[in-house]
Amino acid sequence: MTNHNTLYTSQSLVAIISPEMMLPAIKESLRGFPSIQAQYFILHDSLLTEELITFITQYEMLVIADPFIYHQLKNYDSSLKLYQLNSRAIQLYQLLLTHQITKEEKSYSFDFMQESDILAITHQLHQKIDYVFSTDVAIEQIVENHISYAKQGYHPVTTVAAVYEKLQSLNLASDYLIPTKQEMIVAFERVLLASKSRQNKENQIVYGIIQFEAIASQDHSKVKQILQQFSQQMDGHLITLNPLQYSFITTRGQFERETLGYKHLPLLSQFKEELHINCTIGIGFGINAYESGRHAKQALYQANDNGPNVCYIVREDSRVIGPIDTTVFINYEQYPLAITDLQLLERAEKAGMSASYISKLMGRITKHQKYIYTAEELAQTLNITLRSANRILLKWLDAGLVDIIGEEKVAHRGRPKRIYFMQFLEELKNQ
């Protein structure tokens, strides 16, 4: 049920219902989602209170970070659009792996863990465990079930904050699993894609105009090559307007993903640093081609007024964003490397990974918490060609430094883009 007084903004308004101990991790994950405007309701006891009922009627999108309250809300009103921060697989994997390494043979009492996750993880670890489920319709009974099983030698593992707090108050050793940052990011990406207002914006037309001051005759082919790579990365279409002016067309969803929410557009600095060419970029959003083209001209006028080497965006509501940060990579080299894992360093060196590459990638991790890349994103981050990026990724794959976790369909003809998880970056970050 939706209240007609619901506030609608240019962002996606999302209500997040969470226990207090999960809030810092949720807020940190949301830093990478400028399009989400979060409204929080803090759970203190996992009860379906009148205050919570009043809160949920004000929002279309509800994200629940507590599995117990999620099921209560489902039973209360099955028509509610609920999205759950429910994946705890990585923390469960880490817990079971730790017990395996330390040779602590344990039986486990779970409450809201998915049995399919448990079986998949134990299969990966080549480990068989004895486990039971302590579920119920009341928090007090779930706690009692955990206590009862603990007396039989089962180790309580809960995903409900209220249960964990009660077990801790009884001095009963237990573990509380929450989603990792990466799992939360995946969940919030799904929430964005499911949002009606978000879907409309994802399909908005983005029209960009790139204007150069001058291009030496010997640099024309290089300029065209850089622009074509940029256009491919955006899944867009490049148009030559005249020798000093180009335009591109893409969708807002693709543009926001590739620019990390308008925070990362190194195209201008690439021309400046590599070819010593000055240019400006104007980008327009709109619900149709005419509107986005008109806004792009307004943005270019603003950029020329403040240029050279700046980029402005005029949105569908005529609001101006800019200047966009076009020098993201300049600071990447400043990430202080302190690699203490000699085996990891040796693997990296054998795979042709220089300290410079590690520094740039770790710099991006520090700023954007990004562990997943396509070859195009890696090429831009390392300031190398797409061919070089593909060659490097094959080496890193062979060395076990990265994993292929999926494929991304492309709008134009050609093979799907492989999506890589930079496993070694997470290992370095956790040192």
Side-chain angles (χ1 to χ4, degrees):
M1 151 173 147
T2 304
N3 191 318
H4 292 294
N5 294 323
T6 299
L7 295 175
Y8 291 94
T9 70
S10 58
Q11 296 176 298
S12 294
L13 195 59
V14 176
I16 297 175
I17 300 168
S18 168
E20 192 166 9
M21 64 175 67
M22 273 186 67
L23 274 183
I26 290 172
K27 289 181 177 179
E28 179 65 24
S29 300
L30 281 172
R31 287 175 63 187
F33 293 89
S35 298
I36 290 182
Q37 181 183 343
Q39 300 293 322
Y40 296 97
F41 184 95
I42 300 174
L43 294 169
H44 296 291
D45 45 21
S46 290
L47 295 178
L48 201 59
T49 62
E50 287 186 16
E51 186 183 3
L52 177 56
I53 296 298
T54 302
F55 177 81
I56 65 174
T57 60
Q58 299 176 49
Y59 303 97
E60 271 193 276
M61 306 291 290
L62 300 169
V63 176
I64 319 298
D66 182 278
F68 182 78
I69 207 72
Y70 173 83
H71 288 288
Q72 282 196 308
L73 287 172
K74 268 291 194 189
N75 292 333
Y76 169 76
D77 185 351
S78 60
S79 68
L80 289 171
K81 295 177 184 176
L82 302 179
Y83 300 89
Q84 194 175 8
L85 293 181
N86 189 39
S87 178
R88 269 89 170 165
I90 294 177
Q91 281 212 336
L92 178 60
Y93 181 93
Q94 291 172 343
L95 176 68
L96 296 183
L97 179 61
T98 300
H99 289 170
Q100 188 182 67
I101 292 171
T102 56
K103 297 184 178 177
E104 297 179 57
E105 295 293 332
K106 289 184 183 289
S107 299
Y108 299 91
S109 168
F110 299 110
D111 41 46
F112 287 92
M113 280 298 302
Q114 296 288 330
E115 187 167 24
S116 57
D117 287 342
I118 298 169
L119 294 174
I121 290 166
T122 53
H123 177 73
Q124 288 177 6
L125 293 172
H126 306 290
Q127 179 185 16
K128 287 187 178 180
I129 63 170
D130 181 24
Y131 61 91
V132 292
F133 285 99
S134 298
T135 55
D136 205 276
V137 295
I139 291 290
E140 292 75 16
Q141 192 55 53
I142 294 172
V143 173
E144 286 299 320
N145 290 342
H146 275 303
I147 294 171
S148 175
Y149 282 124
K151 290 175 181 176
Q152 301 173 45
Y154 289 87
H155 178 70
V157 179
T158 183
T159 58
V160 182
V163 171
Y164 179 70
E165 288 168 352
K166 289 183 184 295
L167 293 175
Q168 290 294 294
S169 70
L170 297 169
N171 294 318
L172 183 61
S174 57
D175 281 286
Y176 174 50
L177 303 184
I178 69 170
T180 63
K181 187 169 186 176
Q182 194 61 38
E183 288 172 322
M184 288 188 191
I185 287 171
V186 169
F188 284 125
E189 284 175 345
R190 288 173 180 164
V191 170
L192 272 184
L193 290 174
S195 164
K196 283 185 180 179
S197 60
R198 184 64 194 167
Q199 286 176 352
N200 291 335
K201 288 179 183 174
E202 285 264 328
N203 295 325
Q204 278 186 6
I205 295 171
V206 171
Y207 187 83
I209 304 173
I210 304 166
Q211 184 172 306
F212 296 91
E213 285 186 0
I215 304 174
S217 57
Q218 67 270 20
D219 291 332
H220 273 285
S221 59
K222 179 64 175 175
V223 167
K224 193 74 176 284
Q225 180 187 0
I226 292 172
L227 289 173
Q228 284 173 341
Q229 287 180 358
F230 170 76
S231 179
Q232 285 180 358
Q233 182 187 347
M234 292 288 171
D235 277 347
H237 178 63
L238 182 68
I239 304 166
T240 303
L241 301 177
N242 61 58
L244 294 179
Q245 201 172 70
Y246 294 80
S247 68
F248 66 90
I249 301 172
T250 184
T251 61
R252 180 167 178 172
Q254 184 67 17
F255 182 80
E256 288 184 346
R257 282 188 290 272
E258 293 298 332
T259 60
L260 304 176
Y262 325 135
K263 294 178 182 175
H264 159 75
L265 186 65
L267 188 63
L268 290 173
S269 61
Q270 192 174 359
F271 285 125
K272 180 68 176 173
E273 299 298 322
E274 290 185 25
L275 302 174
H276 307 290
I277 295 174
N278 292 328
C279 67
T280 50
I281 299 179
I283 293 169
F285 295 167
I287 58 173
N288 55 50
Y290 172 77
E291 188 178 88
S292 58
R294 180 165 55 85
H295 289 159
K297 290 177 183 177
Q298 292 172 1
L300 184 65
Y301 179 83
Q302 186 93 9
N304 286 333
D305 240 16
N306 293 275
N309 303 314
V310 293
C311 171
Y312 279 82
I313 298 171
V314 174
R315 303 188 336 168
E316 74 282 2
D317 56 6
S318 297
R319 287 175 57 189
V320 178
I321 303 173
I324 306 302
D325 182 6
T326 62
T327 57
V328 176
F329 301 132
I330 291 175
N331 295 323
Y332 281 177
E333 295 290 346
Q334 296 175 4
Y335 183 85
L337 287 176
I339 301 172
T340 56
D341 189 335
L342 295 178
Q343 288 184 338
L344 179 60
L345 184 59
E346 186 179 348
R347 281 164 57 205
E349 288 175 347
K350 283 183 179 177
M353 186 179 296
S354 66
S356 170
Y357 285 176
I358 297 176
S359 179
K360 287 179 179 179
L361 287 167
M362 288 301 289
R364 191 162 188 181
I365 289 293
T366 301
K367 187 164 185 178
H368 300 295
Q369 299 298 319
K370 184 174 175 63
Y371 294 91
I372 295 172
Y373 289 83
T374 62
E376 289 83 356
E377 290 172 328
L378 185 68
Q380 282 218 340
T381 298
L382 301 181
N383 200 16
I384 58 178
T385 65
L386 181 59
R387 183 178 294 180
S388 296
N390 278 312
R391 186 173 64 250
I392 287 169
L393 282 167
L394 284 176
K395 286 184 179 180
W396 294 355
L397 199 60
D398 290 340
L401 296 170
V402 302
D403 291 318
I404 298 172
I405 60 169
E407 290 186 337
E408 183 180 290
K409 291 183 179 179
V410 294
H412 50 79
R413 290 185 179 181
R415 295 180 180 178
K417 297 177 182 178
R418 283 182 170 180
I419 301 170
Y420 298 87
F421 175 67
M422 302 291 171
Q423 179 185 330
F424 72 95
L425 291 179
E426 191 168 48
E427 293 176 34
L428 286 176
K429 190 69 178 171
N430 293 331
Q431 282 186 13

